[in-house]
Amino acid sequence: MSHFGGSSMPLVKPTAGDSLSFPNQNEPAEHKKYPKRGRPSVSPSLAELLKRVEGADTSCDNTAIDHHHHVIELSHACSSVPTSYPFVLSFKNLTYSVKASQKFELPFCGKGLSDSPDKVLLNDISGEAREGEIMAVLGASGSGKSTLIDALANRISKESLKGSVTLNGEVLESSLLKVISAYVMQDDLLFPMLTVEETLMFSAEFRLPRSLSKRKKKARVQALIDQLGLRNAAKTVIGDEGHRGVSGGERRRVSIGIDIIHDPILLFLDEPTSGLDSTSAFMVVKVLQRIAQSGSVVIMSVHQPSYRILNLLDRLILLSHGNTVFGGSPANLPDFFSQFGHPIPENENRTEFALDLIRELEETPEGTKNLVEFNKSWQRTKSPKNNNHESKSSISLTDAIRQSVSRGKLVSGATTDPGADLTSSVPTFANPMWFEMIVIAKRSMTNSRRMPELFGIRFGAVLVTGIILATIYWKLDNSPKGVQERIAFLAFAMVTTFYTCAEAIPVFLQERYIFMRETAYNAYRRSSYVLAHSIISIPALVVLSLTFAAVTFFAVGLAGGFSGFIFFFFIILASFWAGSSFVTFLSGIVSHVMLAFTVVVAILAYFLLFSGFFISRDRIPAYWIWFHYISLVKYPFEGVLQNEFDDPNKCFVRGVQMFDNTPLGSLPMSMKLKLLKSMSNALGINITSSTCVTTASDILTQQGITDISKWNCLWILVAWGFFFRILFYFTLLVGSKNKRR
């Protein structure tokens, strides 16, 4: 880590959106040469920047040390801690292969499935990355750059990856690596309607402990904004395709910032300069250099660095089809290729020449085999010097992490108690579950509030559907036709609630990769995410349910009065709850929006088919009856039917009304009365035009609704909602491992 020796380095703030100034630079960055160094030059860590923002000037004599959560107020000039020793991330003989797809040939041709040889993505890769330095992995597309970064960041399963990755000579546990490292993906996965400052602040809320005051968290964010050169863009929203926001370079620096808010020891980046112009790419790498100099190990992949970026890099690994063709300092490139017999022209970019030569060799029959073998022999000639240097720069991992924490890194709840073991000194999560839920809910509501059209469209769909149903089924009577129309209205109304929930499919799909990035390195618990989003969805569901119930219940003339309306509202709310939970669960399984819509629509159609509306329960074949009981539409449909036909003595068919909806319905009234009289004589029962033939209980029996009460239907529906939320949690638990096999 960097040491400060008591000197103070001024922090120069940027003056333009994408312009970035750095301390102690007396000439333009593009013309300045960056000499290689054995130890990193002095650069402030976030802890130092935080002290300057707060104006803290604490001496050794009066500094109180909190042994639980640290933003250490000790100056390195007067600290009794010895000068820092760098972290060294070493990797040896990394080999990773995947099974190639099987080829199928027709059996009658004498061949069936033929096994292709495994495709080797990494082949015996070795090297090391040190604190205070930037190690860059170069190569053409498909060379294995991202695979090597994933291997070092523990994003490949241990069963598939051969070789070893150690930090200061000790194998890292997966749980510890998640806490002391950060991984910046190639894509900028950010909430579009949050500002730069809000995005970093929410990241601070997740990664920094609750014991740290709000004021210090804000000060830390402000220090990070200055370090990233984002001061002029701090109040600007991130933006997306439909909303104007920050520039591409600023967006990339925000992506880096949210992962370094806790000052991680190891920082992995997958092509951080991809898609950026030359100036923006240089600024990003310059920020990474300062992060490395503040006491971090920075490892990144890059496709083809410019001359200015090359001067910022300390170590290079060039790959070709998973093999190392060069490993060492960029300054050694001319000597390396000169000895190989291909000297680099004086005015040519060294990496461009190297990559062009590698590409030419790959097209030859022998490929880069000779270059790989030459690199191995060249490395052996350099190994005595490298091994000697490494032996001077390593201390035990436990001591190194404790010294790092004592200087302000890993403030996410870390302790410097010498009696504590390494696992307990660095907690898995920085905050308790309830606090994570509050932050997640606040962030989601902030982002949604700035996109009111999302809820507005859903509200409009429910309102328009309710108005259409209310005007079609206006004031239904109690005639036999009225009974059929009531049943049809209730069935369609229940199905509508589920189909409108399908609009919530993109909600999680839009956040899917943000969630995977944040939970991969323990920003918060998966259970906190599920619970928070379940709770914040309820107010919107209440509004939708109340709107639909108020528009339709009285206009259609449903029975039950005020108590009937209350139950109708609750059953609609439970339907929305179960439907949104079901859709959320499916969005956790199906990652494509259109495919998810197709699956949801199909399954809801099956639910309606087996709900009991088209065919009663008594008529469903025994081998399909199980589907009737898992149909989500069954329970709200049966509940509202019982709510509507709750009075067993209420009559819906009297005397001659029994002939309605039959061919006899067109007969004159006198003839219908004669038929009633004949039926009375035959049955021995006096049936007149006012005799009740069908009651509410008879209607429920005809529909096969006799086994579950209406309130039990409500509770079962609520339970289905919780069940699907639990399934959603397990889907996230299993599906967001973020590791290659």
Side-chain angles (χ1 to χ4, degrees):
M1 283 178 228
S2 56
H3 9 167
F4 298 87
S7 62
S8 178
M9 179 183 293
L11 182 64
V12 182
K13 296 183 180 180
T15 57
D18 256 341
S19 62
L20 190 61
S21 299
F22 299 94
N24 299 332
Q25 289 180 326
N26 299 320
E27 54 182 326
E30 57 268 33
H31 301 298
K32 184 173 180 178
K33 303 295 182 184
Y34 297 94
K36 299 302 169 189
R37 53 193 181 276
R39 285 289 301 135
S41 59
V42 177
S43 180
S45 68
L46 279 178
E48 289 292 311
L49 292 170
L50 177 59
K51 290 198 296 183
R52 294 172 193 168
V53 172
E54 293 181 316
D57 185 17
T58 309
S59 64
C60 289
D61 296 333
N62 57 10
T63 299
I65 303 177
D66 178 6
H67 289 284
H68 298 286
H69 303 286
H70 283 268
V71 177
I72 301 297
E73 302 294 342
L74 289 174
S75 170
H76 292 292
C78 55
S79 175
S80 60
V81 180
T83 56
S84 62
Y85 294 88
F87 287 94
V88 178
L89 182 70
S90 303
F91 47 98
K92 296 180 180 178
N93 310 118
L94 293 183
T95 302
Y96 174 60
S97 60
V98 295
K99 290 188 178 296
S101 58
Q102 293 181 328
K103 297 180 180 179
F104 180 78
E105 300 183 17
L106 296 177
F108 54 76
C109 295
K111 297 180 181 179
L113 286 174
S114 59
D115 292 334
S116 301
D118 290 351
K119 183 178 180 181
V120 178
L121 301 183
L122 296 177
N123 185 21
D124 199 29
I125 307 294
S126 299
E128 69 175 24
R130 299 169 184 166
E131 174 196 328
E133 298 180 349
I134 300 178
M135 186 183 81
V137 183
L138 278 70
S141 299
S143 60
K145 301 188 300 296
S146 297
T147 305
L148 178 57
I149 296 295
D150 286 346
L152 298 178
N154 193 32
R155 291 164 65 89
I156 299 178
S157 63
K158 293 182 179 179
E159 295 79 13
S160 303
L161 181 66
K162 298 178 182 178
S164 64
V165 180
T166 60
L167 184 62
N168 286 25
E170 300 182 27
V171 178
L172 274 174
E173 295 181 6
S174 178
S175 57
L176 179 62
L177 180 63
K178 287 183 177 182
V179 179
I180 68 172
S181 66
Y183 185 97
V184 180
M185 297 181 180
Q186 183 174 348
D187 298 323
D188 299 321
L189 305 172
L190 305 167
F191 284 91
M193 300 311 295
L194 298 180
T195 66
V196 170
E197 186 175 11
E198 288 172 339
T199 301
L200 295 175
M201 191 64 204
F202 281 121
S203 180
E205 295 281 9
F206 286 130
R207 302 306 297 261
L208 305 183
R210 189 170 59 93
S211 60
L212 205 63
S213 67
K214 189 82 170 180
R215 179 176 60 85
K216 288 189 175 182
K217 288 180 181 178
K218 288 182 178 179
R220 195 171 187 83
V221 168
Q222 296 303 319
L224 184 58
I225 288 174
D226 289 330
Q227 188 183 34
L228 297 173
L230 294 169
R231 175 55 56 195
N232 290 343
K235 301 297 183 181
T236 306
V237 296
I238 300 298
D240 56 11
E241 296 82 359
H243 304 85
R244 189 182 181 94
V246 297
S247 67
E250 291 168 337
R251 185 191 299 265
R252 187 61 48 85
R253 279 178 268 157
V254 174
S255 296
I256 295 172
I258 59 179
D259 284 313
I260 66 168
I261 190 72
H262 64 302
D263 227 2
I265 293 172
L266 303 176
L267 179 60
F268 305 98
L269 305 100
D270 187 12
E271 298 201 23
T273 62
S274 177
L276 301 180
D277 59 75
S278 176
T279 302
S280 297
F282 173 76
M283 292 181 197
V284 168
V285 180
K286 187 62 181 173
V287 167
L288 295 178
Q289 184 191 51
R290 291 175 58 78
I291 294 170
Q293 292 173 356
S294 69
S296 297
V297 179
V298 177
I299 304 174
M300 70 175 188
S301 61
V302 59
H303 184 69
Q304 191 164 329
S306 65
Y307 179 79
R308 292 191 299 170
I309 291 178
L310 185 63
N311 286 330
L312 302 180
L313 306 179
D314 300 281
R315 290 172 181 264
L316 292 181
I317 292 183
L318 270 66
L319 299 180
S320 172
H321 297 309
N323 294 284
T324 305
V325 295
F326 173 79
S329 169
N332 294 332
L333 279 171
D335 182 43
F336 176 84
F337 283 100
S338 178
Q339 294 184 33
F340 182 65
H342 292 78
I344 301 176
E346 184 176 351
N347 296 324
E348 189 164 349
N349 186 304
R350 288 168 285 175
T351 55
E352 288 183 3
F353 174 86
L355 293 174
D356 289 342
L357 176 62
I358 292 169
R359 190 177 296 108
E360 291 177 7
L361 293 176
E362 289 174 346
E363 295 174 356
T364 62
E366 292 187 356
T368 55
K369 181 179 179 181
N370 292 334
L371 184 57
V372 172
E373 294 301 324
F374 175 77
N375 175 64
K376 291 180 180 178
S377 62
W378 190 78
Q379 293 292 341
R380 284 193 291 269
T381 63
K382 301 289 183 179
S383 60
K385 179 181 178 181
N386 290 343
N387 289 340
N388 184 46
H389 180 78
E390 182 180 344
S391 63
K392 294 180 180 179
S393 60
S394 294
I395 61 173
S396 71
L397 180 59
T398 303
D399 293 339
I401 290 181
R402 283 178 180 149
Q403 288 187 18
S404 178
V405 171
S406 71
R407 282 185 293 273
K409 276 190 176 291
L410 294 173
V411 293
S412 53
T415 175
T416 55
D417 185 0
D421 59 21
L422 191 58
T423 304
S424 62
S425 65
V426 184
T428 304
F429 298 97
N431 295 288
M433 180 185 293
W434 66 267
F435 187 80
E436 293 173 350
M437 291 171 58
I438 292 175
V439 178
I440 293 171
K442 182 180 178 182
R443 181 179 66 176
S444 180
M445 288 188 293
T446 302
N447 190 67
S448 300
R449 189 173 64 250
R450 292 172 184 168
M451 292 190 292
E453 63 273 11
L454 297 181
F455 177 75
I457 292 174
R458 193 176 180 189
F459 178 82
V462 171
L463 180 62
V464 170
T465 303
I467 292 174
I468 292 175
L469 290 176
T471 52
I472 291 178
Y473 295 100
W474 182 265
K475 298 297 182 182
L476 297 177
D477 56 28
N478 292 331
S479 65
K481 287 186 177 181
V483 171
Q484 292 181 351
E485 291 167 352
R486 286 174 188 270
I487 295 174
F489 162 76
L490 294 173
F492 191 86
M494 295 305 103
V495 174
T496 297
T497 60
F498 288 97
Y499 274 107
T500 53
C501 290
E503 298 175 9
I505 289 176
V507 173
F508 174 70
L509 293 181
Q510 291 174 347
E511 300 180 11
R512 182 186 187 93
Y513 293 104
I514 298 178
F515 165 83
M516 292 176 66
R517 183 203 68 213
E518 292 176 334
T519 55
Y521 289 87
N522 294 349
Y524 49 80
R525 299 166 179 84
R526 293 170 178 84
S527 55
S528 300
Y529 181 88
V530 174
L531 289 173
H533 279 269
S534 299
I535 293 173
I536 64 175
S537 68
I538 293 177
L541 299 183
V542 170
V543 173
L544 296 176
S545 303
L546 187 60
T547 300
F548 187 81
V551 170
T552 59
F553 185 86
F554 298 104
V556 175
L558 299 182
F562 182 73
S563 61
F565 171 78
I566 294 299
F567 180 83
F568 186 72
F569 161 72
F570 278 121
I571 203 74
I572 294 291
L573 177 59
S575 299
F576 274 121
W577 162 251
S580 63
S581 300
F582 172 70
V583 168
T584 302
F585 163 63
L586 282 183
S587 66
I589 298 177
V590 184
S591 58
H592 194 277
V593 175
M594 294 308 300
L595 183 59
F597 271 114
T598 303
V599 172
V600 167
V601 170
I603 294 178
L604 290 180
Y606 302 149
F607 284 166
L608 176 60
L609 176 62
F610 289 96
S611 65
F613 172 66
F614 292 105
I615 180 172
S616 64
R617 177 172 59 88
D618 300 333
R619 302 281 294 173
I620 297 176
Y623 48 82
W624 279 119
I625 196 66
W626 61 272
F627 210 123
H628 172 71
Y629 285 99
I630 67 171
S631 170
L632 293 183
V633 182
K634 161 188 166 65
Y635 300 100
F637 178 59
E638 292 189 2
V640 292
L641 279 182
Q642 293 182 68
N643 188 58
E644 182 64 20
F645 303 106
D646 195 30
D647 186 358
N649 298 320
K650 189 174 183 179
C651 187
F652 288 91
V653 179
R654 295 181 181 274
V656 294
Q657 288 181 331
M658 73 173 65
F659 302 122
D660 293 351
N661 300 323
T662 69
L664 299 177
S666 59
L667 295 176
M669 181 60 66
S670 59
M671 184 61 70
K672 292 179 182 179
L673 292 174
K674 289 181 180 181
L675 287 173
L676 283 180
K677 187 175 181 181
S678 299
M679 292 173 62
S680 299
N681 293 333
L683 297 174
I685 302 174
N686 185 25
I687 302 177
T688 65
S689 59
S690 61
T691 302
C692 184
V693 178
T694 303
T695 63
S697 298
D698 297 328
I699 294 175
L700 294 178
T701 303
Q702 292 171 8
Q703 296 293 323
I705 302 173
T706 57
D707 55 342
I708 305 176
S709 68
K710 69 176 186 179
W711 288 105
N712 284 338
C713 288
L714 175 65
W715 298 128
I716 291 174
L717 201 57
V718 172
W720 271 118
F722 282 107
F723 176 70
F724 284 119
R725 295 286 174 173
I726 294 172
L727 288 182
F728 177 56
Y729 167 73
F730 284 109
T731 300
L732 299 183
L733 203 61
V734 175
S736 61
K737 294 296 184 183
N738 224 12
K739 280 191 177 184
R740 302 194 196 185
R741 295 295 177 185

